[in-house]
Every structure is written in structure tokens, then in C-alpha cells.
Amino acid sequence: MPSKCQPRGGRIVTSAARSRLYLLVLGRLPRPYDGGEGTPPDQLIVDLLGSREFAVSTAEPLLDGCFDAPIDLCDPDLQSWAEQTFSLETAPQQPRLTVLARVLGSQMVATHRICAETPWSAGALSHALQSFAGEAPLAERDLDPLQTFARVADGLEILDLAGITTGDATGEVRLAATGGSVLFRLPQAGPSAFCHLDLGMAIDGGEGSASLAVDYGEGFSDAHVLRLAPRGRRRYPVFLAAPDRIRHVRWELTAPGQLARPLLLKARPLSRNAVEDMLRPIVGARATGWLDDHTLPTLRPGDPEAQTFRLSRRLSRDLGGHVIGKRGYEDWLAWTAGSHAAARHDPSGRSPGFDLVMRVEPSQLSSARATLASLQCQTYPFWTVKVVLIGACPDEAVGSLASVIEDCERVTLLHRPPNSTWAAAFNLALAGATGDWLACLLPGDLLAADALAEVAAHLGGKPDLRFVYADHDRLDAEGLRKDPTFKPDFSPEALLGFDYVERPAFMRVDDVRAVGGWREVAAEGVGYDLTLRITSRLAPAAIGHLSRVLLHAGCGTDAVHGTPGLATILREHLARTRIEMRVDPVPGVGLHLRHRPTRPAPTVSLIVPTRDRADLLGLCVRSIITHTAYDDYEVIVVNNDSREPETLELFESWRSDPRIRVVDQPGPFNFALLNNRAVDLCHGEVVGLINNDVEINSSDWLTDMALWALHPGIGCVGSKLLFPDRRVQHGGVIVGVGGVAAHSHKFSEGDAIGYGRRLALVHNVSAVTAACLLIRRSLYEAVGGLDESLPVLFNDVDFCLKVDAAGYRNIVCPFHPLIHHESSSRGRDVTAAQLARLRTETEIMTRKWGNRLHRDPYYSPNLTRIHENFDYNWI
């Protein structure tokens, strides 16, 4: 900015001037203000001063005396300076207020070391402004606990405290040995469908629990309690339905004797349309009408409070984003009970017949009776079961086994001598199979009552299916359900790592016979071997998956993974399918597959776009050169208007290295365009997109990823990426989570095996991040490269979906995790322009991909669409 404007740039010099500005802002605060979590102070003040309700003329007299020289906030030079200094696009209708707010907000942050991520309530901002204005803030020690809570309350009336005393002069309070509670009343804001509560409390030591009780006018009841579980500095968004019927709310905290700091107590009314808008990114078009569909039946007739509260609890889980309640599998089962209409047999349609097979040893007769009892409860009529008894079983026990089924003609008892193998037993049953479909059960397995009806209904709608599997959970020693396995749709590469299909799996009888039935292999892999042999003969469209738990695996029937016997089975399968790979068992996890290096190795072109940031770029390129053992690769650094001397010196230092090329591509930053232009110039058969903030720390990373990229049928290959603290940053991309897409397992421990072993084994995904993405150059060009209308955010997701639509499978190869200093060079999307770009690119993706964003085939609909942590779906 020219020097003539610098004195006017906004140095606030007097306490009186500060006070005037403080009063100006404070005068905007009586109304509840929701700037959103993490709103920086400067942006919050922009919103307050820039409000349409606030006349500019009211502000002008107050602004005149605030600076050490006359200023003209409409001066173009001043606006230009503010835009550059604060990365701000000034609002043309109110540039004076916008510029001033940025100056003030910046000074507040610098003067008071205020964290830019701090969530600000009106009370907290008032206190900070009071201090900034040079006035003595209220001494915390002079506040009683009620005042301490009232000071952070926004839209709530604090009525009473229990078990809470003054802590010290820093704004903390102390909880009694029995804990404490805060009683408050919701604001009376006229008729509204819902009330959004935002509660925050930091508890020293991080240990404690909390609950929220709701009084509908007849006192507090255990039936109307939300369980919360705070750890450290936490916030709890809660959504309450029909707030006009709520008399009081009590926030109960249990952290005996601990110091605590109240952070935020905020309430704002929400209309029905507002809640549906919040649901729309999660459930898509189903948001309209969702509230009606999920206004669940009352717990007892004439109990509207129970109905209202249950809807409140569901919304809080779906939209709140924090753990409320136990949220275990038992809770989820109760929550979703009745949400899926049971399949009914249609006698007018074709009715497939099912042959069920079970191998039983003498010690398993009791478990086998339980399995047969579950078959007796089937709502579908066309099935038979063949029980293969191994060794000598008492006649009385055998008789009682058959008597479990009322229609004895359904049961066939077969006998095999002691020590008969699994394959021999199952093949004996196969010889007498008369149905269309066959499935194997283990003693103790329980089929859901409508399991066969569900499969029959699924087959009726898809006549080309020849192999169908469903989800399962397990039974503990008390017979309670636990550990659900929510499986992906057919994932060929995941199946090579371990038998994720397990049970129940239904296959055509003629297909089983066509591959010769069961083979004599390791006992733990009999089913895995058959699944591999059948699915390898079928087109993907002939393999179906039901995302419902149709089988409860018996106690003690857990599958084993990563054994030498399973490795042998997979090696034989790869030999049959003529795939050259090395198989290494990882005990308890699965099978690690690596391609055998080819000679000559194909050239790989690694493309690294950058704009300055020599520190990151230097580390990235240096780590590639230092650690990569792959023979033939080149690094193409795409220079996008770098200006800093350190970056230019780095470019100069690479001139003598034949492995590194620097190409210039000026213009506005467009990640898609930069990579597309570099692909035009590269020499490699395989292209690798690498962020300039990625650090390589493995010698074999490129060998494994490049050979996977050349594997038949494979499209994009991604890597597991870790934050510098070794937590997971990327384990693949799930579309539809959090809006357009999200990184799976984000913030998981780096050595975790992940949900369904996804962080430990190669698996199929819808997309991977372009921070590290390898693909054949011919395929990159065939799908049109990255979409340049998506310059920053979703071009990699869009690209992977194009590759998927072209018939190729995208995978993550997690064996060589790389370090990703995420968005270190680009920064985060916080400015108005960046948020506008986010909205634009989101609209493009929604328009382009529609329902594909609402159904990721490699991610179960039973899992959350809000977070990346594979929690249950509470929608």
C-alpha cells in the first residue's frame, strides 16, 4: 500500500477511541449471534458490523475519532491494502465496516493472543472487547458461579446451580464431590419446531460424564435424559423438538472435585425447514419428509413427550456430531428396530429353493439344535437343510436334532466317519442338493427370521445374480448380539487380502458343481477357497450384497485370518488366474500381496505442483530422491508463479539433476490445470500426482503403487497418508460422507488395522486423494484428465469417479504410509472467497454425480454419513 495510506491504516491510539468502538460492537450483541464453531474474532466482527440491520450512517460518527489520522475507509488504496493483508474481498456495499472489522479483529488476536479457532459467544466477545477497549474487566473472583455461567450464556436463562462453587480468578468453577448441575430455561422465541442447544465445558483432567434432562412440565424423568460423555474441552450440540412444550432443562456434570471452565451455553430456535436443510447434506433428497418418517411411535399410548424426546435424541445423534449416550451396537439395534420392513414371500412370483448345509461334530449337537430352531422360524417356506454328522453320535441326540424342525421332511441327516474333512462333508451334502441355491452354516449360527425371504426378494428383483452375501454379527456367551460386520459391495482386491464375505453366502448349486465343489484345503479356508473360485468366474454384476444383518454367528465361530494355510489357498488361486504376485501372511490380519517386479520397469512421472513454499517442496522432492528405490522415474515440478528467492534458488539447484524438471505454468492456482499440463509433457507410462507437502519415508512405495497401477482392471492407486504426528490423514475417500466426500479413518492411530482391515490391506474404494495418486497415463488421458472447472477441492474425487464409471477399480495400497503435511501450502478454506469456492465446487459435484454421492458401494449404508470414523448410521 502507498505510504500516504499507512498512517490511516488503522492504529487505534486512545482508550476513549477503543471504548467508542467497543460500544459500537457491544451494541450489536443483545441478539443471539451464531457465528458457527471456530469463527475467528475478525470474521465474527465482520458479520456483526456488516449486518444488513445496521445502518452505515450510524457507524460513521463513531469511527471518526478512532484512529490517529483522518481516514477514508472507501479509499481504494486502503481497501487494496486490507485485501492483501487480511485476504479479504471487501463487500462493495459496506467496505468501510468490513475493512475496519478486519483491522480490529486482527489487533484483538495479536494483542490478546486470542486463538483464531475460539468459538465466540456474545458474552465472551463482550468480555474480550471490554478488555481490548482499555477498561478493567470484571474480576472473576468477584463473580459468583451463577454469574460465571450467565456470562457465557447466549439466549438461555440460568435459573439455578447445584454442587458448583467458585474456583479461582481465571473463570473456573469447582464441582462438588457429587458433581454439579445447571438448571436453565429455553428462550421464548415464538413458535418454532426445534431448539438447537450448544453447550461447552472444559474439565481439568478430562475425566467425567454428563447428561441433559428435559422437563415437559411434569418434572424430570429418566425417560427423558440424554447421556453425554465429555473428555477434556468438549462441546455438545443438542437438538430438542417442540421447545414450546419444554419447561426446564438440567445439565448434569459428574467430575468429582474437578475444576471446570464453562465455555458456552447457547440456544437458538430452528424452523422445520432449517432442520431439513441441515439434514440434506446427510440424507440428500430424503431430507424432505425425514422428520415425518422418523417421528417414531410413542413409547406408550397418549405419550407425546416420549415421541418428541425420541425424535430429539435422534436429531442430536444425527446432527450433533458428538457422542451422546452409549451409542453401542445394542443401542443402534434398538434405534433402528422397525425401520426396515420385513420381506414377505410373494407366492405369485418365482420362488427359489435353498439348500442349507451344516457339518456337526458330536460336541456341537447343542449348538446345532439352536441353528435348526432359527430355521424353524423362517418366514420363507422353500428351504431344506442337510446336516452332516461326523463320527458316532448318540441315537437319542440325533433324534432330538431332527425333531427341532416340525416338518421333518425338510431335514436330511447324513453321516461321515470320524475325522472326515470339511470338504468331504460339504460335498456329500452337495451330491443330494435339489434346490437352486446353497449356503453353509456352522453349528451355533442363527439366521434372522426373514433372512431367506430377504434373499429371495433380492433375487427376484435381480435375476442375473449368481452369488449373494449379506452382513452378519456375532453372539456372545450369553447369546447377545455384538461386533457387526457391515460389508462393502463386491470388492475383488479386498477379497484377495482376506475373506470379508464369510457367512451368509448364497451361491448357485450349479456353479458350485461346475467348479468341482469344495477342495481339500486348510480347514479355516474351505469357504474362502470356494468363494474365490466361484466369484472369479462371474461378472461383477452377477455378485450381489444385502446390507442387512441376516446371520448371527455362533459363539466361538470367529474366522481366522493371515494363516499359512490361507496364504497357500490364495497362491493357488493366483496361479489359476495367472496373476504374478507374492503372498505374505500377516497373522491375525490377512494376506499381504505384492507384485513381482517386472523388467524393464515402466517409467513413472511424478508431478508436483507448487507455488513457493520452498521448505515443503524441498522436503518433498528430497525425500523422493533419497528414499525411492524404484529404478525409472522422473519428477516434474510445476512452478505456478513462485516468487520467493528461496524457491527460485531451489529450482536452480536442481538444474544438474536429470531426474528433476521444473516447468512453468503461470496464472491463477488451478490444481487440475497444473497437473493436466504436466501430463502433456511427461515421459512416463504411469503418472503420479504428488502434493508438495507430502514426505516419502519408504523405499518400496513407488514399486508397489506403480505395479498395482499396471494391474489389469485397476484405475487409481492411492496410499495411506499420515499426519506428522502419525495419525491417519487418508485411508481412501468415501463419497457422501460429510457432504461430497471425506477421508476414511481420519485421525485414527497410524498403526491401527482399520474397519474391515482397510488400513492394513489393499482394498477397493470409490476415490483416493490426489495428494498421492498413481494411474496409467493412457487411462488418465482417456477419461479427460482432471476437471479444470474444479480448480482446488474435488477434482481428485471427480477424476476417480470418472475412472470408476469407465469400468476400472480404484484401490488403496496401505503398506507404505507417507507423511502428509495437509494443506500446509494451500491453507484452509476460511475466507469468504474460499467458502464461496467450496459452495461452487460442491454444486458442480452434486449436479454432475447426483445419487452416486449418496451411495458408496465400498461403504455400508449402516455406517455414519457424518464422520469418517465408521460409527453406526443413526439416520
Side-chain angles (χ1 to χ4, degrees), residues 88-134:
L88 173 72
E89 292 185 359
T90 56
Q93 69 276 18
Q94 292 180 326
R96 312 175 184 198
L97 300 177
T98 312
V99 171
L100 178 67
R102 283 291 178 177
V103 174
L104 172 62
S106 177
Q107 290 195 358
M108 284 178 61
V109 172
T111 304
H112 291 276
R113 308 267 197 284
I114 297 172
C115 174
E117 296 293 326
T118 301
W120 287 81
S121 67
L125 179 62
S126 168
H127 186 266
L129 283 170
Q130 192 174 29
S131 175
F132 180 72

Side-chain angles (χ1 to χ4, degrees), residues 490 492-493 539-541 709 711-716 764-766 775-776 779 782-783 798-811 849 852 857-858:
F490 185 57
E493 279 62 48
H711 189 84
I714 296 300
C716 301
N764 302 92
V765 291
S766 285
I775 187 172
R776 293 193 301 280
L779 181 52
V783 299
D798 172 77
F799 177 74
C800 290
L801 291 180
K802 290 194 296 183
V803 171
D804 176 82
Y808 295 86
R809 303 184 299 277
N810 302 318
I811 64 168
W849 292 106
R852 179 64 175 85
Y858 305 111

Side-chain angles (χ1 to χ4, degrees), residues 272 286-297 311 314 338-339:
R272 178 191 181 92
R286 293 186 294 125
T288 303
W290 186 96
L291 295 172
D292 291 331
D293 295 340
H294 292 81
T295 301
L296 303 174
L311 178 61
R314 185 153 197 160
S339 61

Side-chain angles (χ1 to χ4, degrees), residues 534-573:
I534 290 180
T535 56
S536 64
R537 303 171 72 247
L538 302 177
I543 302 171
H545 169 223
L546 270 164
S547 298
R548 286 204 60 209
V549 174
L550 298 186
L551 182 141
H552 318 301
C555 183
T557 63
D558 296 358
V560 295
H561 303 288
T563 67
L566 292 170
T568 298
I569 290 171
L570 184 59
R571 291 188 191 104
E572 293 173 350
H573 170 73

Side-chain angles (χ1 to χ4, degrees), residues 478-763:
E478 285 74 40
L480 299 177
R481 295 169 61 182
K482 65 173 186 175
D483 301 337
T485 299
F486 296 134
K487 305 166 187 177
D489 289 353
F490 185 57
S491 306
E493 279 62 48
L495 187 60
L496 298 180
F498 77 110
D499 182 13
Y500 77 85
V501 171
E502 290 194 57
R503 307 183 309 284
F506 299 84
M507 53 204 83
R508 296 278 305 191
V509 171
D510 52 355
D511 285 335
V512 179
R513 287 174 173 154
V515 299
W518 285 266
R519 293 195 314 137
E520 296 291 350
V521 296
E524 70 271 20
V526 170
Y528 181 44
D529 176 73
L530 183 64
T531 296
L532 287 172
R533 287 186 289 127
I534 290 180
T535 56
S536 64
R537 303 171 72 247
L538 302 177
I543 302 171
H545 169 223
L546 270 164
S547 298
R548 286 204 60 209
V549 174
L550 298 186
L551 182 141
H552 318 301
C555 183
T557 63
D558 296 358
V560 295
H561 303 288
T563 67
L566 292 170
T568 298
I569 290 171
L570 184 59
R571 291 188 191 104
E572 293 173 350
H573 170 73
L574 295 175
R576 284 194 306 269
T577 54
R578 299 179 181 177
I579 298 175
E580 289 288 328
M581 300 187 81
R582 193 180 83 197
V583 179
D584 296 318
V586 182
V589 177
L591 304 174
H592 182 163
L593 280 75
R594 297 190 63 184
H595 286 81
R596 301 187 188 281
T598 59
R599 291 288 187 271
T603 301
V604 178
S605 297
L606 302 176
I607 299 170
V608 187
T610 194
R611 176 180 288 177
D612 290 314
R613 292 308 302 263
D615 54 339
L616 292 172
L617 178 64
L619 176 62
C620 173
V621 175
R622 185 168 58 252
S623 68
I624 292 173
I625 299 299
T626 302
H627 293 293
T628 303
Y630 192 80
D631 294 332
D632 189 1
Y633 69 92
E634 62 174 347
V635 178
I636 302 176
V637 177
V638 187
N639 172 31
N640 181 223
D641 290 333
S642 296
R643 296 285 186 268
E644 295 174 358
E646 296 85 356
T647 308
L648 302 180
E649 291 173 6
L650 194 60
F651 293 162
E652 185 64 28
S653 71
W654 291 333
R655 284 187 178 276
S656 60
D657 193 328
R659 296 168 294 185
I660 306 173
R661 281 192 288 157
V662 179
V663 299
D664 294 329
Q665 183 61 51
F669 181 82
N670 185 318
F671 184 84
L673 181 147
L674 297 177
N675 280 288
N676 288 344
R677 298 300 173 271
V679 170
D680 293 338
L681 302 173
C682 72
H683 302 143
E685 179 183 348
V686 174
V687 169
L689 310 185
I690 306 293
N691 269 20
N692 68 346
D693 55 0
V694 167
E695 178 184 354
I696 309 301
N697 55 7
S698 168
S699 60
D700 292 332
W701 74 282
L702 191 54
T703 303
D704 279 356
M705 293 185 69
L707 294 179
W708 267 113
L710 294 171
H711 189 84
I714 296 300
C716 301
V717 180
S719 176
K720 179 166 73 174
L721 302 178
L722 305 179
F723 288 110
D725 65 2
R726 296 309 192 267
R727 290 182 300 161
V728 175
Q729 187 267 334
H730 167 269
V733 171
I734 309 166
V735 299
V737 171
V740 173
H743 289 183
S744 83
H745 294 95
K746 195 169 186 178
F747 302 123
S748 297
E749 294 300 321
D751 59 356
I753 66 172
Y755 190 90
R757 294 167 169 73
R758 299 180 193 215
L759 293 178
L761 301 173
V762 173
H763 64 281

